[in-house]
Amino acid sequence: MADIEMRSDPFRSDLWWIYWTERDEIVGRIDQDLGGRCVVTPQGPHWSPMKSIGRTFDSPSRALREVRLYFARR
């Protein structure tokens, strides 16, 4: 199973990067809007072309949990 972690952006408090630690690769980002809702944007070749996490989450940690579930099923 992939070890996926979230790292805060050093310049923006509303942005987190999603890393696949074994590969030291960014696989996505989490953006938080002014209302506190978060959206995941997949990045890189590790996502299925049909995969879209087209929903919002209450917090960055809930968004990260969804990303971890996706990679656990791969």
Side-chain angles (χ1 to χ4, degrees), residues 8 16-17 19 25 29 32 38 52 54 57 63 73-74:
S8 59
W16 294 265
W17 297 99
Y19 279 85
E25 291 182 40
R29 63 187 271 170
Q32 190 173 41
C38 297
S52 172
F57 301 91
R73 292 187 294 255
R74 291 192 47 135

Side-chain angles (χ1 to χ4, degrees), residues 15-53:
L15 175 64
W16 294 265
W17 297 99
I18 305 168
Y19 279 85
W20 187 341
T21 58
E22 295 92 348
R23 295 181 180 219
D24 194 32
E25 291 182 40
I26 294 173
V27 294
R29 63 187 271 170
I30 300 171
D31 291 285
Q32 190 173 41
D33 66 18
L34 294 175
R37 304 292 291 178
C38 297
V39 175
V40 173
T41 304
Q43 295 183 333
H46 304 293
W47 298 84
S48 165
M50 300 302 291
K51 179 64 180 171
S52 172
I53 302 182

